[in-house]
Amino acid sequence: MQKRTSLKDIAAATGVSTALVSYVLNNKKEGRINKLVAERIRAMAVKMNYRTNQIARSLKTSRTYTIGLVLADISNPFSAALARYIEDAADQEGYTVVFGSSDENPIKYKKILDALLNRQTDGLILSPPENSELLIKSLQHQVPFVLIDRYFPTLPTNQVLLDNYGSAYQATRHLIAAGYKQIGMINYDSALVHLAERSRGFTTALAESGLPAAPGRLQLVHATALREETELAMKNLLGKPTPADAVIFGSNIVAMHAVKYLKENGIRVPGQAALVTFDETDAFDLFYAPLTAIRQPIRKMAVEAVRILLANIEKENLPVEQVTYPGKLIIRASSAPRDQ
């Protein structure tokens, strides 16, 4: 059997110290190491087929250098982007990310968490489903973790979030300023606080503008029957004697089903209905009226979540960090000013 290449072997081949090789291959002290030397070390590591001895590393440090990441649905464009940026940020610090999707199911969520804990991941980044508050609370003395995108107000946890209230408020005010007066919203029927905050931002903006939401203007749909209920919600909003002239969507997935309904029924955007959605996706650019969207700072959120988590892995009993980022309204054709 061929002998495993060691850090000492690479050091001898490149004429540097073993410590320097370790720093380079573990991405440490990058600003203090000559770039040409670092490139030479990495090239030699590839040439000599070096592989990290993870078992030895774990025994030495009492860590596995893995992070568990559990999101709602990795196929969702928002979740996929978040996962990619978290993976990149963790890799920069020498950590590997293990992924899981809860599918908004607390039972599946617990199963994934148990598997991650059993393989002794050093920490977790979590986007918890509805009705998982007690499960999250049980983790507080087991493993470092950070909540991302979602949170529970009663739990003092590390968390990185979007200002959902402010983002929905901003979107609604934009439509009002563009001349729309019969504004509706389709959001998830959920106890998750970040979704409730989107609804609250919508209703508050209307009330402050003297346009309180008429009965039925806030339509709530269930994730388990999303296509059917979104279509029904659109019919409810657009089929009234005084139809909605603009609709805000609480997620990009709801927006996708709504856009399909509009296309199938020949409803013009923004002529008959202006649209604004949370979260961008490239699919919206293919629509003849690209959708105005609340852009979340996904990369910043990912990097911040990794930073907070690794700090808590390195040192116990740090103060709780709760970071909230504003959304950015990206205005496109779907919410052009209404003809007066």
Side-chain angles (χ1 to χ4, degrees):
M1 181 181 294
Q2 185 176 0
K3 177 178 174 291
R4 177 191 289 269
T5 300
S6 68
L7 297 179
K8 186 175 181 180
D9 296 330
I10 298 171
T14 52
V16 299
S17 69
T18 303
L20 183 56
V21 172
S22 177
Y23 290 145
V24 170
L25 297 184
N26 289 292
N27 300 311
K28 303 294 184 182
K29 301 185 179 182
E30 291 189 15
R32 296 166 55 185
I33 299 174
N34 183 284
K35 290 185 178 180
L36 292 177
V37 173
E39 289 175 4
R40 184 155 52 90
I41 291 171
R42 292 191 177 101
M44 184 58 68
V46 172
K47 181 179 179 180
M48 298 179 73
N49 197 30
Y50 172 75
R51 295 289 184 273
T52 302
N53 189 333
Q54 192 64 52
I55 295 175
R57 190 184 185 201
S58 297
L59 289 172
K60 183 177 180 180
T61 63
S62 298
R63 295 182 192 167
T64 61
Y65 291 91
T66 57
I67 291 173
L69 172 63
V70 189
L71 300 173
D73 181 3
I74 201 68
S75 68
N76 182 300
F78 169 76
S79 296
L82 192 59
R84 178 55 190 268
Y85 292 136
I86 288 173
E87 183 180 32
D88 290 345
D91 182 65
Q92 288 292 315
E93 301 297 331
Y95 280 78
T96 298
V97 178
V98 181
F99 301 93
S101 293
S102 71
D103 296 329
E104 305 290 4
N105 184 327
I107 296 175
K108 183 178 180 183
Y109 194 68
K110 184 179 187 306
K111 183 178 179 180
I112 295 170
L113 288 180
D114 287 343
L116 292 171
L117 293 173
N118 287 337
R119 64 178 295 163
Q120 297 183 314
T121 51
D122 296 323
L124 303 169
I125 298 177
L126 307 171
S127 184
E130 191 175 357
N131 299 319
S132 62
E133 185 172 0
L134 291 179
L135 180 56
I136 296 300
K137 187 175 181 179
S138 73
L139 294 175
Q140 290 187 306
H141 301 293
Q142 294 188 60
V143 63
F145 68 91
V146 178
L147 301 187
I148 192 164
D149 183 46
R150 305 173 177 190
Y151 69 109
F152 299 101
T154 60
L155 295 183
T157 56
N158 292 308
Q159 55 200 39
V160 179
L161 312 169
L162 176 75
D163 178 4
N164 290 283
Y165 169 84
S167 297
Y169 181 92
Q170 180 186 18
T172 309
R173 295 289 301 187
H174 160 67
L175 289 171
I176 294 169
Y180 298 95
K181 300 184 183 301
Q182 308 296 332
I183 305 170
M185 182 179 193
I186 304 177
N187 199 3
Y188 286 103
D189 188 354
S190 170
L192 289 168
V193 176
H194 75 293
L195 294 173
E197 285 293 276
R198 294 178 183 184
S199 295
R200 188 170 73 89
F202 163 70
T203 56
T204 300
L206 288 180
E208 289 182 359
S209 301
L211 300 170
R217 281 282 153 78
L218 175 58
Q219 294 280 316
L220 300 178
V221 297
H222 296 89
T224 53
L226 195 56
R227 181 180 64 82
E228 297 85 355
E229 293 195 13
T230 299
E231 289 181 0
L232 179 59
M234 291 297 288
K235 290 177 183 177
N236 290 339
L237 289 171
L238 302 179
K240 294 181 178 295
T242 304
D245 55 11
V247 184
I248 299 172
F249 303 113
S251 85
N252 54 9
I253 303 301
V254 172
M256 288 180 186
H257 290 300
V259 166
K260 183 178 180 181
Y261 170 82
L262 293 170
K263 289 178 66 177
E264 290 175 349
N265 290 275
I267 298 171
R268 291 178 291 107
V269 177
Q272 292 173 268
L275 308 178
V276 178
T277 185
F278 270 78
D279 301 326
E280 298 173 292
T281 175
D282 292 341
F284 294 147
D285 292 335
L286 302 176
F287 188 50
Y288 68 84
L291 267 60
T292 294
I294 292 291
R295 175 183 292 169
Q296 298 200 45
I298 302 176
R299 185 190 295 272
K300 287 183 179 180
M301 293 170 69
V303 170
E304 187 69 0
V306 171
R307 180 195 67 77
I308 293 172
L309 181 62
L310 296 190
N312 281 266
I313 290 172
E314 290 286 341
K315 187 175 182 180
E316 296 182 356
N317 300 319
L318 291 177
V320 168
E321 291 192 60
Q322 298 183 338
V323 181
T324 301
Y325 287 100
K328 183 177 181 179
L329 184 67
I330 306 301
I331 300 173
R332 300 192 175 95
S334 71
S335 65
R338 186 174 186 179
D339 294 334
Q340 301 300 322

